[in-house]
Amino acid sequence: MDASILLALRDPAGVPFYPVVFQALYVLTWALHAAFVLLALGSMGLSLYGTMKQKTDSHWKILTPHLIQTGKISVSILIVLGVAPLLFTQVIYDPNWYVANTLSGMWVFIFIYTLIVGYSMYYWYYYANKSSQGGGKLIGLISFGILVFCGILMHNFAVTSIMPNDWMDMYAPNGVVDTSGWTFNIDILRLIFMVSLSIPVVGIFLQNYARFLSTRENFSQEFISHASSLGTKLSVVGLLLSAATFVLWMIAIGYLLHPLSLATVVGVVVLLFLSAKNTNSYITTGVLVIVALLISALRELIRYDIMGQLGYSIYDYPVNLEIPTLLMFLSTFLVMGGVGVAYLLTMAWKVGKTQGIFDGSKDIWVNKLGTYTISIMVAWMVIFFGWGMTFLFKNIL
Amino acid sequence: MDFIGQFPLFYFPEYGSAWIMGVTGTIHILASHTSVGAAMLFAFLAHKAYKENRTDLYPYMKKYGMFLLIFSYVMGSITGPGIWYTATAASPVGISALIHNFVWVWATEWVFFVYEVIGVFALVYFMGKIDTKTHLKLTYTFALASVGTLALIIGIISFMMWPGTDAYYATGSASDAFFGINTFPHMFLRIGFMIMMSGVIGLVIASAIKKENQSLSAELTVKMGYIAMFGGFITLFFFMWYMGTLPDNAHAVFNITKDEVILNRIILAIVFSLYFLVAILKPRFINPTLASVMIGVILIFGLWPGEKLRESMRKPYVAGQYIYSNQIVSRDVPGKGIKSELPVIAQKGLLQVNPFVPENLKTITDSNRLEAGELLTKIACSNCHSLENNGKFRPLAARLQGVDKDGIIGILNAMGAGAFPYMPTLQLPQDEYDAIAEYLVSKQY
Ligand code: HEM
């Protein structure tokens, strides 16, 4: 695929802001998406093991429903967090994303419906397990399988989108056009590496879980240390596994000695060390976030290089500045998003730490943040309507 | 220019790829409107419970509201990206235009989504774990955030129909594109529908608690009846207004099926008014089965035809009245430096300028004419018409039955001259018309 075609596939409207900003946002938000994908898959998978132990083992009896719940909430969050990179990738790599989506049109369609079915079955699993110890094993397993399959489809879109040289062969093998949308590609090392990360992620999650609950009196010390040591085991074994697949993947694509790849390896070693010692899992989590960002950046680097070799650079994308909506985004993101999410998370933290009912009306911060959030939202609406009416009057009068 | 921005074609046999997008869209509309409606209903109940100290309401809110809230929210949040994904496969250039005009608007909506997704679980799982006053505040913010997502998406989907004024073409500004003359009627049409949906689902809940608490059930059923009636009225009122803010081409398509559509809407209005009246006057007659069936009725007889109509009325465009459904930029947008692709297509032909046409089909010869004709027809027509003899979606088979090759060439020339307001003014070189006609004749419709 030569540059003239790739450049023609860009949107004639240009990009509404400097491409590097979208690139940075893409790297950042994909890392967030990935973090919850991994937490979801990890906790769901581990919960399935838990359903087999739940009846006889008192620790698993407590842990299993918590894992199921974690998986359930994480799927919702990963979906929402996936929207952001979906947006940003289409702004700067629209040729790639749209070709991948049309070539795999059938899979795109299947992705959505399997996700609906898989996630609905997950609720079924949740309710079945709630009503009887060890219940819902089979449903949970099927649901887990479906959601893993969704991840494989995601991987197909990502991989197909960075194979521009093969697009023509996928669309019209031997000159015969195929509009069926059944294109499917897998890069097995990359996929295994991505999915393998769910083991250390759930491991570190368990370490955090144990640490968080250790201040609550209604959880026994025994249970806490059981959860914590299980977490340590999982993260150590998982990290070794991920590290091995990572190195293989890097060798296969010739990136092993790239600084970003080396930085990732260092990051993983640090993680291994920190999680093995498990002195403060919150710090481990901080490092995990950095490693996630490195991996996200590496994915972007691979794509950037492939496209660069073909003569497509996002930095040359024509810019058509669009300031007012950018200001809306920034202010909403920083002010409403910042305050609102702080409100919810502060509340969640305090509820989690409290035995019995948490009285938020007596808590200065929860109270204040709540009032601020409402006021900001109301003000937001007022500005929205004011802005709209100004433009409408200007344009129709 | 050597090439224009066209992508590989994805064609879903018999139905067409636009149709499967419509299916996802219909489910999404039900889920998302129910979800915002549920958020408002929840805020209403929480408000009532708190202000009137009605502790009897909380258990029911927890038991039923929860499932509803989460389930509709979850379905809404999957089918939302779902429409986006399927629209991408069906209409990449259209989606690209929306993204490149509105990326910051969508990013803003995303902030609301993030608030909502954490909020929905907080709302549900903290019930009984936090004091009622804090919980009430939380429900308010959740309802506000839900309405915020509507406020942000509405200008984008209104723009798909048309920018509403000419300002956008000159300025290229997202504000001009977003706030067109049909944005606000459209917004309140949907708010009305959300209010109605909150009543409609409220009826399921209210009637389901009949066994446990007869008087509360009756009280809530009556209330939901009023709410739904009010929402229905708002919907109808703004529907009227909305129709008045649509462009001419929309009315051209609407007129084809006008009588049928109006009859359908009148029947629906009567049936639902009666239903809500029963809820108000004879609350005991409402039961969960009936209430659930009525949701199905809304989905199948209200939303599905509504979606198909909205899709049709946008014809021949898919977005902003500058991109045709068959992915061709059809006019200049000086504000963005966009140029119409029609002249170059008329001059060189689709096969030459579409980058995904394989070499062996770039030039029409006697040996590849049929194959080239098939590809051309798919590119030019399949986004709006299914091609098979037993096609289901606005099938060409029914529209070209018994028409011979000259007849088809005549139709194509008429299209090229802009004779059909609802079809693209797609002028092609004669040899491409010829190939299309040859292919269509070979189908023996
Ligand atoms: C259970 C559901 C999901 C799973 C397991 C999943 C998993 C993944 C994985 C493994 C990747 C990385 C693929 C690779 O680089 O090889 C990925 C990428 C991505 N996912 Fe998801 N995902 C899910 C749902 C979603 C949803 C619903 C969205 C959109 C709302 C989304 C948006 C994205 C985006 C935009 C990318 C980056 C693609 C690219 O630019 O190359 N994901 N996802």
Side-chain angles (χ1 to χ4, degrees):
Chain A
M1 190 103 326
D2 67 87
S4 68
I5 295 182
L6 293 171
L7 297 180
L9 293 177
R10 296 185 308 194
D11 197 286
V15 288
F17 203 68
Y18 304 103
V20 66
V21 173
F22 293 105
Q23 190 180 30
L25 286 169
Y26 172 83
V27 169
L28 176 73
T29 53
W30 187 81
L32 292 172
H33 172 60
F36 281 90
V37 166
L38 299 172
L39 181 57
L41 295 182
S43 51
M44 283 175 352
L46 190 59
S47 79
L48 286 172
Y49 176 75
T51 54
M52 294 187 292
K53 291 266 184 172
Q54 199 177 14
K55 262 192 187 145
T56 49
D57 184 318
S58 65
H59 294 328
W60 281 104
K61 188 174 163 165
I62 308 172
L63 191 55
T64 307
H66 286 178
L67 286 170
I68 296 179
Q69 180 80 321
T70 306
K72 189 177 96 183
I73 295 178
S74 300
V75 174
S76 253
I77 296 181
L78 82 84
I79 291 170
V80 169
L81 292 178
V83 170
L86 183 63
L87 198 56
F88 300 129
T89 200
Q90 289 178 46
V91 175
I92 45 178
Y93 289 107
D94 38 343
N96 304 68
W97 191 249
Y98 296 138
V99 172
N101 274 257
T102 45
L103 286 177
S104 292
M106 227 31 227
W107 293 116
V108 165
F109 185 56
I110 290 171
F111 171 69
I112 292 306
Y113 286 89
T114 43
L115 184 54
I116 291 179
V117 173
Y119 197 28
S120 302
M121 286 183 74
Y122 198 78
Y123 269 86
W124 181 0
Y125 169 47
Y126 166 78
Y127 283 111
N129 195 271
K130 207 171 168 179
S131 64
S132 79
Q133 293 286 326
K137 278 191 203 71
L138 184 63
I139 299 303
L141 193 65
I142 297 173
S143 155
F144 179 63
I146 293 178
L147 292 168
V148 170
F149 176 67
C150 289
I152 296 174
L153 290 182
M154 293 282 349
H155 169 79
N156 164 37
F157 305 144
V159 173
T160 303
S161 80
I162 52 172
M163 298 170 75
N165 283 326
D166 303 308
W167 287 343
M168 214 51 225
D169 284 336
M170 298 173 195
Y171 183 52
N174 305 316
V176 181
V177 173
D178 173 7
T179 56
S180 68
W182 283 112
T183 294
F184 193 84
N185 294 293
I186 278 197
D187 175 347
I188 195 74
L189 287 174
R190 173 172 169 150
L191 178 64
I192 294 181
F193 165 65
M194 300 266 174
V195 176
S196 74
L197 284 169
S198 56
I199 305 170
V201 167
V202 73
I204 293 171
F205 168 79
L206 281 178
Q207 293 184 339
N208 285 331
Y209 167 87
R211 193 177 168 85
F212 183 80
L213 289 182
S214 61
T215 55
R216 290 254 307 248
E217 278 153 21
N218 48 347
F219 288 89
S220 77
Q221 205 46 53
E222 232 173 67
F223 171 72
I224 299 288
S225 59
H226 170 262
S228 160
S229 75
L230 177 67
T232 306
K233 257 182 247 153
L234 284 172
S235 56
V236 170
V237 173
L239 280 169
L240 288 173
L241 209 79
S242 302
T245 46
F246 179 73
V247 170
L248 286 179
W249 177 37
M250 287 298 108
I251 292 174
I253 58 170
Y255 272 77
L256 188 59
L257 297 180
H258 191 281
L260 208 48
S261 160
L262 293 176
T264 311
V265 173
V266 172
V268 169
V269 173
V270 173
L271 267 186
L272 195 60
F273 179 74
L274 287 178
S275 63
K277 284 194 74 175
N278 192 15
T279 32
N280 186 341
S281 64
Y282 297 159
I283 293 177
T284 319
T285 309
V287 178
L288 180 67
V289 171
I290 295 173
V291 171
L293 284 170
L294 287 173
I295 295 171
S296 182
L298 188 64
R299 276 176 92 251
E300 170 53 18
L301 176 75
I302 294 169
R303 175 165 68 176
Y304 182 83
D305 285 351
I306 290 177
M307 296 307 285
Q309 279 150 18
L310 293 170
Y312 178 101
S313 166
I314 53 168
Y315 301 130
D316 300 334
Y317 212 128
V319 177
N320 231 328
L321 286 183
E322 161 57 41
I323 301 300
T325 50
L326 169 65
L327 292 180
M328 167 171 79
F329 167 66
L330 283 180
S331 52
T332 309
F333 182 65
L334 296 174
V335 181
M336 194 202 87
V339 174
V341 171
Y343 168 52
L344 294 176
L345 295 185
T346 312
M347 184 165 20
W349 181 273
K350 296 200 168 172
V351 170
K353 285 278 183 191
T354 312
Q355 269 152 261
I357 294 181
F358 166 68
D359 191 346
S361 61
K362 298 217 173 65
D363 185 290
I364 304 175
W365 275 108
V366 168
N367 217 351
K368 266 198 187 151
L369 286 171
T371 311
Y372 292 159
T373 305
I374 295 189
S375 324
I376 293 169
M377 286 177 171
V378 171
W380 192 96
M381 287 288 168
V382 172
I383 295 172
F384 175 85
F385 278 100
W387 178 18
M389 285 160 70
T390 308
F391 270 81
L392 260 179
F393 278 130
K394 177 173 80 71
N395 290 337
I396 59 181
L397 292 185
Chain B
M1 68 184 118
D2 293 334
F3 292 111
I4 61 171
Q6 293 238 301
F7 294 92
L9 184 82
F10 164 54
Y11 177 67
F12 189 90
E14 290 182 34
Y15 291 90
S17 42
W19 192 90
I20 60 174
M21 185 192 139
V23 172
T24 315
T26 305
I27 301 175
H28 179 66
I29 289 186
L30 184 72
S32 61
H33 289 64
T34 305
S35 153
V36 181
M40 297 195 285
L41 176 68
F42 215 74
F44 169 78
L45 288 175
H47 177 84
K48 199 172 162 55
Y50 182 77
K51 289 276 138 79
E52 296 169 16
N53 205 6
R54 290 278 301 271
T55 44
D56 58 328
L57 286 178
Y58 288 112
Y60 299 108
M61 279 166 65
K62 188 164 175 97
K63 197 163 168 192
Y64 298 98
M66 307 302 178
F67 176 74
L68 198 72
L69 209 60
I70 293 196
F71 196 73
S72 63
Y73 175 76
V74 162
M75 283 303 140
S77 70
I78 301 180
T79 49
I83 306 193
W84 186 355
Y85 268 103
T86 44
T88 304
S91 208
V93 178
I95 280 289
S96 179
L98 297 180
I99 298 273
H100 288 85
N101 277 302
F102 297 117
V103 56
W104 296 126
V105 180
W106 253 312
T108 311
E109 193 189 16
W110 176 75
V111 178
F112 281 90
F113 283 150
V114 172
Y115 186 85
E116 273 194 303
V117 70
I118 310 174
V120 76
F121 289 108
L123 210 57
V124 170
Y125 293 113
F126 294 170
M127 202 160 181
K129 290 192 177 154
I130 51 178
D131 63 293
T132 50
K133 188 167 172 206
T134 308
H135 190 261
L136 179 65
K137 248 189 200 168
L138 191 59
T139 58
Y140 287 155
T141 65
F142 186 71
L144 276 167
S146 296
V147 177
T149 61
L150 170 73
L152 285 163
I153 198 67
I154 200 74
I156 302 179
I157 49 183
S158 301
F159 175 79
M160 287 179 77
M161 183 65 83
W162 73 316
T165 66
D166 277 339
Y168 163 73
Y169 299 116
T171 62
S173 140
S175 314
D176 287 319
F178 192 91
F179 296 109
I181 54 172
N182 73 344
T183 302
F184 286 117
H186 195 183
M187 180 171 178
F188 284 93
L189 160 69
R190 283 173 188 274
I191 288 183
F193 185 63
M194 286 163 175
I195 296 175
M196 187 180 106
M197 282 314 292
S198 74
V200 169
I201 51 178
L203 284 173
V204 181
I205 299 172
S207 58
I209 61 180
K210 215 182 304 185
K211 271 205 211 91
E212 300 155 56
N213 191 336
Q214 176 110 33
S215 65
L216 182 65
S217 164
E219 181 200 335
L220 286 179
T221 303
V222 172
K223 283 231 161 58
M224 295 304 137
Y226 279 119
I227 291 177
M229 190 76 108
F230 173 69
F233 173 74
I234 301 278
T235 311
L236 259 181
F237 188 82
F238 280 94
F239 177 67
M240 175 186 78
W241 194 340
Y242 171 74
M243 291 302 288
T245 60
L246 296 180
D248 294 340
N249 60 303
H251 286 283
V253 179
F254 181 61
N255 284 337
I256 301 176
T257 50
K258 190 172 174 177
D259 296 336
E260 205 184 304
V261 175
I262 291 182
L263 185 67
N264 162 290
R265 298 288 126 160
I266 291 178
I267 295 176
L268 281 178
I270 294 176
V271 168
F272 278 89
S273 304
L274 286 177
Y275 173 51
F276 301 148
L277 267 181
V278 171
I280 294 169
L281 300 175
K282 292 264 176 255
R284 258 172 307 133
F285 283 8
I286 308 286
N287 61 50
T289 317
L290 173 68
S292 309
V293 168
M294 291 311 266
I295 295 181
V297 172
I298 292 180
L299 181 70
I300 293 165
F301 297 100
L303 291 179
W304 174 237
E307 263 305 272
K308 281 200 297 190
L309 183 67
R310 211 159 56 91
E311 189 263 351
S312 287
M313 289 198 303
R314 232 170 25 226
K315 295 287 166 277
Y317 306 100
V318 57
Q321 290 206 317
Y322 73 93
I323 294 168
Y324 282 146
S325 296
N326 49 11
Q327 312 296 297
I328 294 169
V329 175
S330 66
R331 64 169 286 172
D332 295 348
V333 182
K336 288 270 190 207
I338 297 173
K339 291 260 175 291
S340 166
E341 293 167 348
L342 294 177
V344 64
I345 295 175
Q347 192 204 343
K348 298 189 179 172
L350 268 178
L351 295 176
Q352 287 295 326
V353 297
N354 182 317
F356 287 93
V357 172
E359 280 310 319
N360 54 318
L361 295 180
K362 284 263 177 218
T363 315
I364 299 174
T365 62
D366 282 342
S367 58
N368 72 9
R369 181 164 298 114
L370 212 54
E371 210 185 328
E374 174 173 358
L375 183 61
L376 279 169
T377 311
K378 280 189 179 165
I379 294 174
C381 322
S382 77
N383 216 289
C384 305
H385 298 285
S386 47
L387 309 178
E388 291 82 355
N389 293 49
N390 57 349
K392 306 286 188 299
F393 172 64
R394 214 181 278 129
L396 278 186
R399 282 154 186 78
L400 291 172
Q401 202 170 20
V403 183
D404 65 4
K405 189 169 167 182
D406 286 342
I408 294 178
I409 291 185
I411 293 175
L412 293 173
N413 272 306
M415 269 180 79
F420 303 95
Y422 39 77
M423 282 205 270
T425 304
L426 182 62
Q427 205 187 333
L428 300 176
Q430 286 302 327
D431 64 335
E432 295 201 339
Y433 279 160
D434 187 61
I436 294 178
E438 185 130 332
Y439 167 70
L440 288 173
V441 166
S442 77
K443 301 287 285 181
Q444 296 182 319
Y445 289 139

